[in-house]
């Protein structure tokens, strides 16, 4: 590899999973002048493992979703870092707001109805021209009308399905399922195998340690090979990408400026939606703007409550909240209205005294603005309203806040009806900004170098989970997108082939 290639200045914006994967892969290819600019004070982005209870919790990414063709599983399984979460999200109790627990024979049949739709929707949504919400509603009530389900009380079924829709919204990060594209839902490819693999008592931060090789290098921080290559607490305010010298100028939040030969943007879609008009100069091409506008980005938040001891039976995995219509009047149009969208609390692996709650949509965003004591009081209200046990005061409490943080503005992306109407997708978001340049000469010992030709040189590239065509919303999608952009540069400079030959 020639010295000039090693010295190319490459700046990766964002130190989440995609940015870290991209930067470390660039180093693998032999690029040496790699810098990561990160607005937070830590690595990880939407991977955020913190101490809590008896070990750690993940405020963001929590599970490795699937095994087959999943790069996260491939990396982690080599070190035996993963294990199944078990049936926590299957064996939960369905509890009504008058403390009535749905009988197992009713709850299990209702769960089976929605479970069956997970299989049939893969075929039927191919011909769907509407939303995921309309499809699921029609499917649920069609199944409910079958003779074998005729004894299920309609009111109970309605309450169950209302709760189930909240769960599905948490999977998609949508505010309501009517905004999720039915056909677009199929863009996502689920990796075969266990989709709820947890990181034992270590947390998702272990993936960052694998990517940076900090575990094997035994460095003093988790930066590993990125030691002294990350600028923390600096956001990028301007990206000037049409300079006469074909370089890119970055203006940082602390007043510093930085010139780069290549920039790889890995910030969240939420940040791009809010800032792209001010961030890029000149403004982005129309197709890129349409992708940013058309791809959807939502918020899902978590609530962790630690109690002095477990007040629940050992075989109890958690509960979902089924509101009776008459009881909703107690909270609607009151300061506690947001509690309606907390849909369940579940046991947490390796945390014997902790329950994790989930909240969606505008209510989840609103919760972020509330005083901590108000949120604690609201959660205790739910526990004491729905459960018949004595509920002690919690000893620790923590919530995520992905929307109000200007460095994220939400949780993850999905394919909405707007995505479908606008005819855009991840491929448009991933398309790099280029300048016309002479093609680089491939490294090697052959003295008869190929004749140079004019070509498009990528100067601003885009990664992140939202740019993944089929694994969006996941960490493995984010990692693959980061590797994709590192590979794009390596291929441009003829380094991928050279690297492969050197490894033979």
């Amino acid at each position: 590899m020639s010295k000039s290639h090693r010295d190319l200045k490459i700046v990766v914006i964002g130190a989440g999973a995609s940015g870290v994967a991209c930067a470390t892969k660039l180093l693998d290819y032999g690029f040496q002048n790699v810098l990561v600019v990160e607005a937070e004070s830590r690595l990880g982005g939407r991977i955020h493992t913190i101490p809590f209870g008896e070990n750690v919790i993940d405020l963001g990414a929590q599970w490795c979703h699937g095994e087959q063709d999943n790069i996260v599983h491939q990396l982690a399984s080599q070190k035996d870092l993963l294990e199944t979460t078990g049936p926590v999200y299957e064996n939960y109790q369905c509890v009504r707001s008058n403390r009535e627990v749905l009988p197992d024979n009713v709850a299990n049949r209702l769960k089976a109805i929605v479970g069956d739709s997970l299989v049939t929707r893969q075929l039927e949504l191919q011909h769907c021209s509407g939303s995921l919400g309309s499809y699921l509603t029609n499917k649920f009530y069609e199944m409910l009308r079958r003779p074998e389900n005729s004894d299920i009380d309609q009111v109970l079924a309605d309450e169950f399905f209302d709760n189930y829709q909240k769960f599905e919204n948490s999977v998609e990060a949508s505010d309501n399922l009517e905004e999720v594209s039915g056909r677009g839902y199929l863009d996502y490819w689920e990796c075969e195998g266990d989709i709820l693999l947890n990181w034992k008592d270590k947390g998702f931060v272990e993936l960052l340690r694998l990517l940076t090789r900090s575990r094997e290098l035994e460095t003093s921080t988790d930066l590993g090979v990125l030691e002294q290559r990350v600028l923390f607490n600096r956001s990028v305010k301007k990206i000037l990408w049409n300079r006469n010298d074909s370089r890119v100028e970055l203006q940082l939040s602390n007043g510093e400026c930085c010139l780069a030969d290549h920039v790889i943007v890995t910030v969240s879609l939420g940040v791009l939606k809010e800032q792209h008009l001010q961030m890029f100069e000149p403004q982005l091409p129309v197709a890129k703007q349409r992708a940013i506008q058309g791809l959807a980005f939502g918020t899902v938040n978590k609530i962790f409550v630690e109690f002095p001891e477990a007040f629940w039976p050992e075989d109890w995995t958690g509960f979902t909240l089924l509101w009776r219509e008459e009881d909703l009047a107690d909270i609607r149009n009151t300061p506690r209205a947001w509690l309606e969208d907390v849909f369940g609390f579940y046991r947490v692996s390796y945390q014997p005294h902790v329950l994790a709650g989930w909240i969606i949509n505008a209510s989840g965003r609103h919760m972020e603005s509330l005083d901590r004591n108000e949120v604690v009081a609201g959660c205790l209200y739910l526990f004491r309203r729905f459960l018949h046990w004595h509920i002690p005061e919690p000893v620790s409490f923590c919530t995520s806040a992905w929307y109000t943080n200007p460095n994220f503005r939400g949780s993850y992306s999905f394919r909405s009806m707007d995505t479908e109407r606008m005819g855009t997708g991840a491929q448009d978001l991933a398309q790099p900004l280029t300048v016309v340049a002479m093609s680089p000469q491939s490294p090697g010992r052959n003295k008869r170098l190929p004749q140079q030709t004019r070509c498009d040189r990528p100067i601003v590239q885009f990664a992140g989970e939202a740019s993944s065509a089929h694994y969006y919303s996941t960490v493995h999608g984010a990692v693959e997108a980061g590797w994709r952009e590192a590979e794009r540069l390596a291929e441009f400079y003829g380094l991928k082939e050279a690297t492969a030959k050197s490894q033979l």
Side-chain angles (χ1 to χ4, degrees), residues 397-498:
F397 186 87
C398 184
T399 64
S400 60
W402 294 111
Y403 178 73
T404 51
N405 187 323
N407 300 322
F408 302 104
R409 291 301 188 215
S411 303
Y412 40 87
S413 65
F414 65 98
R415 303 296 179 257
S416 70
M417 296 300 292
D418 282 343
T419 314
E420 188 176 324
R421 276 192 290 268
M422 295 176 70
T424 188
Q427 69 281 359
D428 295 318
L429 184 60
Q431 190 67 25
L433 307 178
T434 62
V435 294
V436 176
M438 300 305 293
S439 64
Q441 295 175 339
S442 299
R445 297 180 181 178
N446 188 345
K447 294 181 180 179
R448 298 185 65 184
L449 293 172
Q451 186 176 358
Q452 288 185 312
T453 57
R454 293 171 68 83
C455 63
D456 289 333
R457 179 168 74 91
I459 57 168
V460 180
Q461 298 160 249
F462 296 81
E465 54 84 13
S467 74
S468 172
H470 300 297
Y471 296 138
Y472 54 89
S473 79
T474 68
V475 176
H476 55 277
V479 170
E480 282 196 358
W483 285 359
R484 179 194 69 219
E485 295 310 312
E487 183 177 310
R488 191 191 301 272
L489 276 187
E491 285 184 340
F492 179 78
Y493 288 105
L495 304 177
K496 189 181 178 189
E497 182 181 347

Side-chain angles (χ1 to χ4, degrees), residues 252-286:
L252 308 185
S253 55
N254 64 348
E256 294 176 351
C257 287
C258 174
L259 279 180
D261 297 290
H262 300 278
V263 170
I264 301 170
V265 179
T266 74
V267 300
S268 76
L269 178 60
V271 170
L272 287 176
K273 282 179 177 290
E274 182 178 70
Q275 298 182 23
H276 78 88
L277 290 175
Q278 297 78 37
M279 182 183 290
F280 292 90
E281 192 174 305
Q283 289 189 3
L284 293 169
V286 171

Side-chain angles (χ1 to χ4, degrees), residues 109 143-151:
R109 285 157 67 197
M143 297 286 286
L144 195 65
R145 286 192 294 269
R146 291 187 176 181
E148 64 268 27
N149 297 320
S150 61
D151 61 319

Side-chain angles (χ1 to χ4, degrees), residues 167-306:
F167 168 79
E168 280 282 359
N169 277 308
S170 77
V171 174
E172 297 300 313
S174 49
D175 276 12
N176 66 78
L177 296 178
E178 294 304 322
E179 66 180 348
V180 181
S181 166
R183 266 200 293 261
Y185 174 88
L186 296 180
D187 283 350
Y188 180 81
W189 292 355
E190 190 165 287
C191 297
E192 291 183 18
D194 194 329
I195 61 170
L196 293 182
L197 292 164
N198 70 70
W199 294 80
K200 301 183 181 179
D201 56 349
K202 298 293 192 296
F204 224 124
V205 69
E206 283 297 299
L207 175 68
L208 303 176
R209 294 170 181 151
L210 291 174
L211 291 170
T212 62
R213 295 193 276 284
S214 63
R215 298 173 93 242
E216 60 195 72
L217 296 173
E218 297 183 355
T219 51
S220 58
T221 70
D222 285 340
L223 292 176
V225 296
L226 296 182
E227 192 78 54
Q228 298 186 339
R229 295 182 184 274
V230 185
L231 296 179
F232 289 109
N233 301 305
R234 292 169 176 84
S235 57
V236 174
K237 293 302 182 185
K238 278 279 187 187
I239 300 175
L240 290 81
W241 59 279
N242 197 22
R243 291 167 52 96
N244 291 332
D245 60 1
S246 296
R247 302 186 82 197
V248 182
E249 179 182 345
L250 302 179
Q251 296 177 2
L252 308 185
S253 55
N254 64 348
E256 294 176 351
C257 287
C258 174
L259 279 180
D261 297 290
H262 300 278
V263 170
I264 301 170
V265 179
T266 74
V267 300
S268 76
L269 178 60
V271 170
L272 287 176
K273 282 179 177 290
E274 182 178 70
Q275 298 182 23
H276 78 88
L277 290 175
Q278 297 78 37
M279 182 183 290
F280 292 90
E281 192 174 305
Q283 289 189 3
L284 293 169
V286 171
K288 181 79 67 184
Q289 292 194 44
R290 285 173 61 82
I292 293 171
Q293 180 185 349
L295 293 168
F297 195 73
T299 305
V300 181
N301 274 317
K302 300 182 190 179
I303 305 166
F304 292 93
V305 190
E306 182 190 15

Side-chain angles (χ1 to χ4, degrees), residues 130-183:
S131 69
L132 178 64
S134 61
Y135 168 80
L136 290 178
T137 300
N138 292 336
K139 194 71 180 175
F140 179 80
Y141 286 103
E142 174 191 315
M143 297 286 286
L144 195 65
R145 286 192 294 269
R146 291 187 176 181
E148 64 268 27
N149 297 320
S150 61
D151 61 319
I152 297 178
D153 183 87
Q154 182 72 44
V155 173
L156 294 182
D158 290 345
E159 292 171 4
F160 175 89
F161 187 62
D162 180 67
N163 179 271
Y164 177 73
Q165 290 179 92
K166 295 172 188 175
F167 168 79
E168 280 282 359
N169 277 308
S170 77
V171 174
E172 297 300 313
S174 49
D175 276 12
N176 66 78
L177 296 178
E178 294 304 322
E179 66 180 348
V180 181
S181 166
R183 266 200 293 261

